[in-house]
């Protein structure tokens, strides 16, 4: 039976458990370097999921007879021996009443059955709790801890155990091993339906099991790198005096002027005032939830300008949406974007900030995720390339027109294999010029009155950029498909959970 009490770390353990759990993180055991020897003999509670396993069976030792049992003479008669001595008599009785001694049912009743306990085994489990690339070898002796092979051996089984850290009992890559003393929890697995029962599933197959794929070593490494990049992003801007602003996900404004947008409405399936289905008529958006046509935002930079023109330097970090059906390795329907806007700046300032941010993120990953980087990528590049002054037709309406009247003050930061990771620009601060650009894009002017107000009332030169966070993850991990860099990717025809 497994222990039912709450797991406790022995007081002799030098490993500090998690604040909200009594278990020690495997990373603190497996990545402690030369201090690992100092952990031998220490008691600790660990938890994780089985990555691989094996069973080593031990043959039961023969019990030698005692001298009294080996010598002739009177001895006690066991129940089994008594039954065996009466078998001929039982056979005669069965024949009298017409039974057949050869029948299976009768034979099973006559022959004494003495259940034999299975021979004790040692279970060697490679477990991982998601804190690092390496696994911890856990040894469970069934003679000491009564668990069965069917409970703990299947890949994906979750265990929470207490044991002693020791030198490995078997030869291998491991330098430390946990000998289990108590088992607090076993989360068994239905092996027939568990997606990771087969070894080395391709990333493409794993996308169909996005709720299970974090348990793979590859996706776990991607997730740790993604989390580190997230933290580093905020660290960079907070360290440089930027304020974070949460921009709306739902908007009435087309932030670029030519993007495919997701329409947000509550009218579908409803009826008009006359009783006709709305889907059969031209919808009356005055009856809609917001009273206007509304969309999921493709960019938050226009809204960020409102705060940049009051607070100086601001940034936002969140999901952006594009209803594009084109299949692409670098674009999905929902992507996370870092957006920046800086008052009193021009194009060159924005380019410098983007470059500094990019270098900071790269350095942070190398310094804080070296194990994961060694596992995932071997490619190294010297530096990115910045391209600027694009033709005005390929950039959004709000980008500042250059003096040549043909190009705009925009730039892209591009890297090998990925392409554009950052795109930025200096925004058009001139009211008349912005009005002309809105007309050229044939945009409904009433939707941009609030945006033009920023030019009517205390205009200022300002610039900014957008960093594709998912593409940054793609670059640092060495992956080729952005769907593998996103925890739950949303693409055309794919949104299963």
């Amino acid at each position: 039976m497994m222990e039912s009490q709450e797991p406790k770390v022995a007081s002799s353990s030098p490993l500090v458990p998690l604040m909200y759990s009594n278990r020690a993180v495997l990373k603190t055991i497996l990545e402690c370097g030369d201090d690992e020897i100092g952990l031998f003999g220490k008691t600790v509670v660990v938890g994780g999921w089985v990555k691989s396993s094996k069973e080593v069976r031990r043959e039961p030792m023969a019990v030698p007879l005692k001298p009294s049992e080996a010598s002739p003479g009177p001895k006690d008669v066991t129940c089994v021996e008594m039954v065996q001595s009466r078998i001929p008599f039982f056979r005669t009785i069965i024949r009298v009443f017409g039974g057949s001694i050869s029948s299976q049912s009768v034979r099973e009743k006559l022959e004494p059955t003495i259940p034999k306990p299975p021979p004790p085994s040692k279970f060697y489990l490679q477990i991982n709790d998601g804190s690092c690339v390496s696994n911890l070898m856990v040894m469970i002796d069934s003679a000491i801890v009564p668990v069965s092979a069917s409970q703990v051996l299947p890949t994906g089984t979750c265990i929470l155990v207490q044991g002693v850290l020791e030198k490995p009992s078997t030869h291998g890559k491991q330098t430390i091993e946990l000998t289990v003393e108590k088992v607090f929890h076993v989360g068994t697995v239905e092996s027939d339906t568990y997606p990771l029962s087969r070894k080395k599933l391709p990333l493409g197959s794993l996308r169909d099991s996005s709720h299970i794929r974090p348990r793979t070593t590859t996706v776990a490494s991607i997730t740790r790198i993604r989390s580190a990049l997230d933290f580093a992003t905020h660290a960079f801007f907070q360290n440089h005096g930027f304020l974070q602003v949460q921009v709306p996900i739902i908007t009435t404004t087309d932030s670029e002027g030519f993007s495919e947008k997701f329409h947000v409405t509550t009218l579908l399936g409803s009826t008009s005032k006359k009783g006709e289905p709305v889907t059969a008529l031209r919808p009356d958006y005055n009856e809609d939830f917001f009273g206007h046509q509304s969309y999921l935002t493709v960019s938050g930079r226009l809204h960020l300008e409102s705060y940049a023109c009051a607070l100086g330097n601001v940034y936002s970090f969140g999901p952006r949406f594009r209803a594009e059906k084109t299949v692409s390795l670098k674009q999905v329907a929902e992507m996370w974007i870092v957006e920046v806007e800086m008052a009193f700046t021009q194009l060159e300032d924005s380019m410098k900030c983007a470059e500094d941010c990019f270098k900071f993120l790269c350095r942070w990953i190398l310094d804080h995720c070296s194990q994961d980087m060694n596992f995932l990528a071997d490619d190294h590049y010297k530096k990115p390339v910045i391209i600027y002054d694009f033709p005005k037709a390929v950039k959004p309406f709000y980008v500042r027109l250059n003096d040549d009247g043909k190009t705009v003050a925009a730039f892209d930061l591009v890297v090998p294999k990925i392409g554009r990771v950052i795109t930025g620009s200096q925004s058009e601060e001139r009211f008349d010029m912005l009005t002309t650009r809105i007309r050229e894009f044939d945009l409904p002017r009433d939707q941009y009155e609030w945006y033009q107000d920023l030019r009517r009332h205390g205009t200022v030169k300002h610039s900014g950029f957008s960093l594709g966070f998912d593409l940054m993850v793609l670059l640092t991990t060495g992956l080729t498909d952005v769907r593998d860099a996103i925890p739950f990717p949303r693409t055309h025809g794919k949104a299963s959970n």
Side-chain angles (χ1 to χ4, degrees), residues 86-133:
R86 299 295 189 271
I87 287 178
F89 172 74
F90 292 148
R91 286 175 176 159
T92 302
I93 295 298
I94 290 169
R95 289 192 184 98
V96 170
F97 289 98
S100 174
I101 193 65
S102 62
S103 67
Q104 178 69 23
S105 60
V106 172
R107 191 163 62 247
E108 288 177 354
K109 293 179 181 178
L110 289 177
E111 294 177 355
T113 303
I114 303 175
K116 295 182 179 179
S121 297
K122 286 187 176 182
F123 305 123
Y124 291 90
L125 314 176
Q126 295 270 6
I127 71 166
N128 193 286
D129 64 357
S131 62
C132 59
V133 174

Side-chain angles (χ1 to χ4, degrees), residues 247-486:
V247 298
I249 290 178
I250 300 175
T251 178
T252 60
T253 304
D254 184 349
S255 301
E256 293 182 345
F258 48 67
S259 55
E260 295 291 334
K261 304 175 293 300
F262 284 100
H263 191 188
V264 178
T265 181
T266 59
L267 294 178
L268 296 180
S270 61
T271 58
S272 67
K273 292 179 180 178
K274 296 182 180 181
E276 297 92 342
V278 170
T279 52
L281 302 171
R282 182 177 178 84
D284 182 1
Y285 290 106
N286 292 322
E287 298 180 10
D288 207 349
F289 188 89
F290 294 108
H292 303 278
Q293 291 192 53
S294 303
Y295 315 95
L296 295 180
T297 185
V298 299
S299 173
R301 282 197 57 193
L302 300 192
H303 293 89
L304 272 184
E305 286 189 38
S306 301
Y307 278 75
C309 291
L311 302 174
N313 294 350
V314 294
Y315 77 103
S316 182
F317 191 1
R320 307 292 181 256
F321 307 88
R322 294 177 185 270
E324 297 176 359
K325 298 181 180 180
T326 304
V327 178
S328 171
L329 298 179
K330 308 299 186 294
Q331 180 72 43
V332 294
E334 178 185 34
M335 299 187 72
W336 280 67
I337 307 294
V338 180
E339 294 178 308
V340 179
E341 204 67 35
M342 302 178 290
F344 306 101
T345 62
Q346 300 185 54
L347 182 65
E348 293 77 10
D349 304 307
S350 183
M351 292 165 60
K352 183 63 169 64
C353 181
E355 182 180 4
D356 289 345
C357 178
F358 180 82
K359 291 179 178 179
F360 181 87
L361 296 182
C362 291
R363 174 52 57 188
W364 185 278
I365 289 300
L366 292 175
D367 292 342
H368 295 85
C369 298
S370 58
Q371 297 291 334
D372 291 305
M373 291 294 289
N374 290 335
F375 174 74
L376 287 172
D378 298 322
D379 295 333
H380 298 272
Y381 307 111
K382 291 183 178 180
K383 56 185 177 181
V385 174
I386 293 180
I387 305 170
Y388 61 97
D389 286 351
F390 283 79
K392 66 178 184 179
V394 300
K395 290 296 180 180
F397 72 94
Y398 60 81
V399 181
R400 195 179 198 276
L401 189 68
N402 288 331
D403 293 339
D404 60 13
K406 299 178 181 180
T407 62
V408 289
F411 74 91
D412 285 350
L413 185 149
V414 297
V415 297
K417 295 185 178 181
I418 307 296
R420 181 178 64 190
V421 175
I422 299 177
T423 182
S425 63
Q426 180 177 341
S427 298
E428 184 59 79
E429 86 283 1
R430 297 165 293 186
F431 180 85
D432 293 341
M433 193 62 71
L434 179 62
T435 302
T436 300
R437 295 287 286 161
I438 291 175
R439 189 182 305 114
E440 290 176 356
F441 275 73
D442 195 24
L443 300 175
R445 186 169 177 177
D446 60 323
Q447 292 186 10
Y448 299 91
E449 281 296 320
W450 70 270
Y451 187 64
Q452 289 182 294
D453 272 351
L454 299 177
R455 279 72 183 168
R456 291 189 182 99
H457 310 302
T459 187
V460 61
K461 287 186 177 182
H462 52 285
S463 65
F465 60 87
S466 301
L467 181 149
F469 184 75
D470 301 310
L471 296 179
M472 191 70 196
V473 177
L474 198 66
L475 170 68
T476 54
T477 56
L479 300 170
T480 57
D481 194 319
V482 73
R483 291 175 293 179
D484 299 322
I486 298 174

Side-chain angles (χ1 to χ4, degrees), residues 81-283:
E81 292 172 329
M82 187 176 296
V83 171
Q84 289 175 337
S85 69
R86 299 295 189 271
I87 287 178
F89 172 74
F90 292 148
R91 286 175 176 159
T92 302
I93 295 298
I94 290 169
R95 289 192 184 98
V96 170
F97 289 98
S100 174
I101 193 65
S102 62
S103 67
Q104 178 69 23
S105 60
V106 172
R107 191 163 62 247
E108 288 177 354
K109 293 179 181 178
L110 289 177
E111 294 177 355
T113 303
I114 303 175
K116 295 182 179 179
S121 297
K122 286 187 176 182
F123 305 123
Y124 291 90
L125 314 176
Q126 295 270 6
I127 71 166
N128 193 286
D129 64 357
S131 62
C132 59
V133 174
S134 303
N135 301 324
L136 176 67
M137 177 68 81
V138 172
M139 191 279 287
I140 302 178
D141 190 335
S142 64
I144 299 174
V145 182
V147 294
S148 65
S150 61
Q151 286 180 299
V152 298
L153 289 183
T155 299
T157 300
C158 179
I159 65 169
L160 181 66
V161 297
Q162 178 177 301
V164 179
L165 295 171
E166 298 176 340
K167 293 181 179 180
S169 57
T170 58
H171 296 290
K173 297 180 180 179
Q174 288 75 23
T175 57
I176 195 167
E177 178 180 294
L178 183 80
T179 300
V180 174
E181 298 176 325
K182 296 179 182 179
V183 176
F184 299 110
H185 171 77
V186 174
T188 57
V189 166
E190 297 178 2
S191 298
D192 293 341
T193 58
Y194 185 58
L196 304 183
S197 294
R198 294 192 297 113
K199 296 185 181 296
K200 294 184 178 180
L201 284 173
L203 289 174
S205 299
L206 288 173
R207 295 183 205 127
D208 295 329
S209 301
S210 55
H211 58 299
I212 295 294
R213 67 176 184 165
R215 299 187 189 182
T216 64
T217 305
T218 298
V219 177
S221 287
I222 295 169
T223 305
R224 287 189 291 268
I225 289 175
R226 187 181 180 95
S227 177
L229 283 171
D230 186 315
F231 184 89
T233 297
H234 290 287
F236 175 82
F237 290 110
Q238 294 291 333
N239 291 344
H240 287 81
F242 285 74
L243 296 177
Q244 184 184 11
V245 177
Q246 289 78 32
V247 298
I249 290 178
I250 300 175
T251 178
T252 60
T253 304
D254 184 349
S255 301
E256 293 182 345
F258 48 67
S259 55
E260 295 291 334
K261 304 175 293 300
F262 284 100
H263 191 188
V264 178
T265 181
T266 59
L267 294 178
L268 296 180
S270 61
T271 58
S272 67
K273 292 179 180 178
K274 296 182 180 181
E276 297 92 342
V278 170
T279 52
L281 302 171
R282 182 177 178 84

